[in-house]
Amino acid sequence: MLRKDGKKLEELVAEIEKIVASSGKTVEVNKRFYDDQGVQVAEFDIFITFSSDLGDHKWLIECRDRPSQGAVSGSWIEQLIGRKFLHQLDRVIAVSTTDFSPGAKLWAEEGNIELRTVNQVETPESWLCNAVTFLNRTGIFNNCKVNLLNRGFEQHYIDNIVENMPSNPDEILISFEKIDARLLPRELFQNLCFDDKNAIYKNIAPGTSKSIHITCPPDLEITGLMFIEFDNFKVPLENIEFSGEARIEMNTVPFDKIEIYKHSKEEGFIGQRMTCLFETDQEKMKFQFYDVQVEDGRQIAIKTDKESKN
């Protein structure tokens, strides 16, 4: 069986520690140390440094994610005690996704190693909800009409353009004089839909839609002339007229995973991460909500990752 490398655990702990950290503290992940010959002699999962009136401080947080091996044995804590003295660390914290064995707890007590756990649970601790509601805005492209810029083309040339114009818009590309971008008509339509200045979604209630018409002239200062390209034609445009539909959907998405980070001995809450996964027609999105105990109460942070489905 492949062993988990613990990187996801390190990421969770590091993100929460960065929120907890006060001004002046530096939180580094996978910090490497080298000897005078450039040979790596150590790597710390999470390394926290800062200065105070008492001098410079160095903290180490090591993470272990090996649920198949059961409770953490005392040997790992022994190793951390050795690291503490070898690297002259002020504070060493051991974080595990499993409980600590009696031997590990004994060694931690003797060596002043703090024990913490990260557990996956069914419901968040003191959180307002068990799901997140998203308003998903969509723009459905129907068709477009291109209006050529009259620059003295002869009629037979214009007739040739019209005769060879593809019936499928996806066989046409839109390009610009001053910027390096080539878009399909439906891609430009989507960009226009999500441009706030067009106010496409104003007065649309969730669960409803409306027909929309957008005329897109080129921005001569920013983009320069706008062209359509197909076959061997590259023709300047006065504008493009788009027709389509704008819709807003309301989606309630439950948390896919809830993880609690806490002190092992005191059972004290440090922080939690709630993850939910959400898909649109164009993207896969992962939202991570961090709820962290800080000196003056609770602090909330949100991290979002997007991945194109194309």
Side-chain angles (χ1 to χ4, degrees):
M1 178 180 293
L2 294 175
R3 191 179 74 187
K4 291 187 178 181
D5 61 9
K7 295 300 180 185
K8 292 184 179 180
L9 177 61
E10 292 170 15
E11 177 198 3
L12 164 63
V13 174
E15 288 294 333
I16 291 180
E17 290 295 339
K18 288 175 183 177
I19 297 172
V20 172
S22 57
S23 177
K25 286 184 178 178
T26 300
V27 180
E28 299 176 272
V29 180
N30 302 133
K31 175 71 173 180
R32 294 181 173 90
F33 296 87
Y34 302 87
D35 63 17
D36 295 338
Q37 285 72 46
V39 178
Q40 182 177 323
V41 294
E43 181 176 345
F44 292 170
D45 287 351
I46 300 167
F47 188 46
I48 302 175
T49 54
F50 63 99
S51 298
S52 72
D53 294 338
L54 300 177
D56 296 331
H57 303 273
K58 299 185 295 183
W59 294 358
L60 166 64
I61 302 178
E62 286 289 310
C63 300
R64 177 187 172 101
D65 185 14
R66 302 181 190 174
S68 63
Q69 297 184 14
V72 174
S73 67
S75 61
W76 185 48
I77 305 302
E78 282 188 82
Q79 294 173 17
L80 296 184
I81 294 173
R83 279 195 158 191
K84 182 177 182 180
F85 286 100
L86 179 63
H87 296 277
Q88 298 180 332
L89 302 168
D90 303 285
R91 189 175 179 185
V92 174
I93 300 166
V95 183
S96 174
T97 53
T98 65
D99 197 6
F100 294 87
S101 69
K105 293 177 181 179
L106 179 61
W107 275 112
E109 188 75 25
E110 292 291 330
N112 196 24
I113 305 295
E114 296 182 40
L115 304 182
R116 298 179 180 178
T117 58
V118 171
N119 299 115
Q120 190 169 331
V121 298
E122 294 296 325
T123 57
E125 181 170 323
S126 302
W127 189 249
L128 299 176
C129 60
N130 291 318
V132 180
T133 299
F134 295 95
L135 292 178
N136 182 30
R137 303 186 302 175
T138 59
I140 302 171
F141 171 69
N142 289 337
N143 57 65
C144 65
K145 174 184 176 183
V146 295
N147 296 307
L148 305 185
L149 180 63
N150 187 353
R151 309 196 85 186
F153 294 131
E154 295 184 5
Q155 187 60 45
H156 73 86
Y157 181 70
I158 296 177
D159 293 341
N160 197 21
I161 292 172
V162 174
E163 182 180 343
N164 288 277
M165 182 80 70
S167 59
N168 181 3
D170 281 353
E171 296 178 17
I172 299 173
L173 284 174
I174 300 168
S175 61
F176 303 90
E177 182 180 25
K178 294 183 180 179
I179 61 174
D180 184 18
R182 303 174 85 223
L183 303 171
L184 294 171
R186 58 186 172 85
E187 293 173 330
L188 179 56
F189 173 76
Q190 290 288 341
N191 291 342
L192 294 170
C193 285
F194 291 105
D195 189 336
D196 290 338
K197 71 181 180 183
N198 292 320
I200 296 299
Y201 297 94
K202 185 177 181 181
N203 300 325
I204 301 180
T208 64
S209 59
K210 71 175 183 181
S211 297
I212 54 174
H213 302 277
I214 310 172
T215 299
C216 175
D219 187 329
L220 295 179
E221 290 188 6
I222 298 177
T223 67
L225 291 176
M226 179 168 58
F227 302 90
I228 56 168
E229 299 182 24
F230 59 93
D231 293 335
N232 295 320
F233 293 97
K234 182 176 181 179
V235 187
L237 300 179
E238 181 179 354
N239 58 46
I240 305 178
E241 299 177 35
F242 291 99
S243 296
E245 185 177 287
R247 184 173 181 83
I248 297 180
E249 293 284 359
M250 182 178 290
N251 299 280
T252 299
V253 182
F255 292 123
D256 180 68
K257 182 185 292 185
I258 303 166
E259 299 155 292
I260 307 289
Y261 179 36
K262 62 185 179 182
H263 298 284
S264 178
K265 187 175 181 180
E266 302 88 356
E267 297 297 324
F269 174 85
I270 301 172
Q272 60 186 338
R273 178 173 70 182
M274 289 76 66
T275 302
C276 63
L277 306 175
F278 180 62
E279 291 191 19
T280 68
D281 292 338
Q282 293 80 35
E283 294 176 317
K284 295 180 181 179
M285 294 182 286
K286 178 170 71 173
F287 293 87
Q288 294 178 316
F289 299 85
Y290 291 88
D291 171 25
V292 179
Q293 185 74 46
V294 293
E295 289 184 0
D296 55 352
R298 302 279 274 266
Q299 183 170 328
I300 309 299
I302 302 174
K303 182 179 179 181
T304 305
D305 294 316
K306 295 183 179 180
E307 177 185 343
S308 175
K309 295 177 71 173
N310 296 330

